[in-house]
Structure formats: structure tokens, C-alpha cells
Amino acid sequence: MDTRDTVRAIVAELATVPDDDESPIDVESLVRIQIIEAVEDAFDLIVSADDLTPERFASVASIAAFVEEKNDA
Amino acid sequence: MKVLRPADFGRGVRVRGMGVALPERRVTNADLIAMGCPLSEEEIVKLTGVHERRWVGPGEATSDLASRAARAAVADAKAELGEVERLILATVSPDYSSPSAACVAHARLGLGETPAHDVTASCSGFVYALEIATRCVLTGEAPVLAVAADVRSRFVDVTDRSTAALFGDGAAAALVDEGPVGEGLLAIALLADGSGAHSVYVPAGGSREPASESTVAEGKHTIRMDAGPKVYLKAVEGMLGTAEALLEREGLSWDDVAMLVPHQPNRRILDRLARLAKIDPAKVVIDLEDKGNMSAASVGVALDRALRERARPGDLVLVVAGGAGYTAGAALLRIGE
């Protein structure tokens, strides 16, 4: 599975996956936190508060881009 | 970040006694759902770890709980209220906008002309109050009551999925006094980061947007937590940052800590804190399931329980809190022999 597939699977466990990867994931904050934690576990990374801009963790595509950027850093 | 070490002044400061107060009324998750909370019982437990919380009854307010906790702390210390030289009350839910809840509690406690004032530092309030009390003791003003009390239930929108199930009401108090150097309160760290001023807040009812028919109609008198995930991460980072600063300053490590007593915002934050600190989860005091997040009071209530049920002479106890504001704080205590 590529990064987007993994992110999509994580989101599907916790929320409704939007029709396309660019669309916003519509969840309340407590579920968004679960998504963040699941991404940390799946990709072995730590998300900091500074990482959490409004754009990141908004959609499957933005989360996948963040993961790849973080892993490349 | 500011770090205060009584030993730097050649003095010792200790928590001489503690007390707590909780309202009688128990509000279960089923009760919340009956009030309109749009979460299932299973979701509430999974997302927050809270099964029930205590809410005040009609006519009951923050100063009532604060007064009860203060009396319990003074009794626990085998002291008299007449000895108290200052009353500090940390709260974000005072009885009135003015005067301070501390003054209302002061009258109930019969503290004469003893100075009394509130401190507003949200979930870090208890640690902020402890720090100010420690400064008082270091300048010869002792003993001092450091109280944290909150009645957040009055500001909860039970239809809001993000906050409806989190909050409970309660109070904790510590009588802070002189003590042996090298025991009791070894060091306290505080920090604030105002970039989070609107992270968890009540938009209306203050001087920026006074209460009106429209603010009430729009629910602006209730708690908003639109930036929930950021608060969650910031709270953990604040607690870890202040805790690690203290440990480093004292030449200690997480392995030296016998008990970590954190603010109790929700179970997920506590699990994350333990994971990132790489501390044995058994050392983390969890006191959330039947109380919820009591804002400033939570960490004090958890500390009271930890000291009574688990602490042994010589134990190193690390108290950490963080939340809205953003604010954070940590206090390192050595239990006396």
C-alpha cells in the first residue's frame, strides 16, 4: 500500500472517507485526534502542535503529503 | 518558562495538607445523552474515558466547592483557618465576573482581612496557585491556601460533540507552608503561550463581547473548542516540556519519578503523555473515569488521591498540567520521611 492507501484505510476505520482524496474529512475534534494518533502509529512519527496547521490533516491527500514530507525530513 | 526552586533561597516549602470537594450530583453518560448529547455511551467512553462526572446542583457555585476543599485541607494539616495568610483561588468559572470567587469563599471561611484573589490559568490553575503560594512562603507569608475550583458544567453545550462529555465540577486545596529544605516542593515550572488564547474559550460574557440576547441565542456563553487537536497536542507538549525542564534542573530522569500526577483532560491525552515520556504507565495517576475534566481542579484532586493512597516516604512525585491559553506547569515534590 502506498501512503495514500494507508491514510485512506486509517480514516475509513474512524470516519466516513470522502469521495475524493482532496475533499475535507468531516469529523469533530475528538475523532480528528484519533486519526492523528493512528497516523503516528502507522508511520512511526510524532505529530507536534506546530505541525498541525489548518491545511494539514484536512484531507486524505494533505495527510499523505504531510507524512511524506515528515519522513523525508 | 520560569522555574522556581525554594532551595535557591535556602528555604523549604511543603504541602502541609490537602482537601477536595465534589458535588453530590452524578451525571452518567446515559444522563448526558438524555439531555441531548449527540454521542453514544460507547463513543463517549472511547473518545474520553469518562463514565460519569459530578455536576453542581441549582444555586451551587465555584466558591462553595472551593470553601469545602479549603476547610478540608486546613483540617488535614491539623491547622486553623485563622493561621492562613493568603487565599489563592485558581478558576476559570468564578461565581461572578466581579468580584473574585476567592472573595466569596473568603467570606464563607471567615478569613478576616487575609488577602484573597483569583488566578486564571485554566487547566494549569492548580500549579499556578501552588507556584504563587510558594513565592508567598518564601517571602515569609505562611501558610497559604492554594485552591483550584471549577464549575464548567454551567458553560457546557450538551449538544456539542467535542466538549459535551468532557467536563465535571470539583475543587482541590493545598495548605502550603514552610518545610525542611530538600523535601516537599522542590521546584515548580510555569509557562504560557498566548497564541492559544482562543483554543478553548467562552466567547461572550466578557468585556470583548458582553452577554446579550444574541450571544445567548448563538450559544456564545458556552465552551468552544474548535482547535481541539491542537490543544490536545499543546497540552501534552506543555506538560512534557515543563516536567523535563524540572527533571533536568534537578539532575533527575523519568526513572526517578515514583508517580506522575497529570491534569486529567481525557484518557487519550494521558496515554499520549505516558507514551512520549516513556514512563511506566503504572506510575501515571489516572483519576478521570468518575469525575471527568474538572479544569483547574483536576490535577489537585488527582494529587490528593495519589498522596493518600499511593505515596511513600522519599517518593518523587511529578505534578503536571496544561491546557487552554495555552498554559502549562509542573511541580516536583519529594515526600517527607
Side-chain angles (χ1 to χ4, degrees), chain B residues 22-27 54-57 60 65 68:
Chain B
L22 300 174
E24 291 293 313
R25 181 184 172 201
R26 294 173 186 274
V27 177
R54 302 289 190 94
W55 280 9
V56 294
E60 209 174 2
L65 298 176
R68 281 173 46 203

Side-chain angles (χ1 to χ4, degrees), chain B residues 44-69:
Chain B
I44 293 173
V45 172
K46 185 178 169 192
L47 294 171
T48 70
V50 181
H51 292 258
E52 66 173 44
R53 69 288 292 149
R54 302 289 190 94
W55 280 9
V56 294
E60 209 174 2
T62 294
S63 70
D64 301 315
L65 298 176
S67 303
R68 281 173 46 203

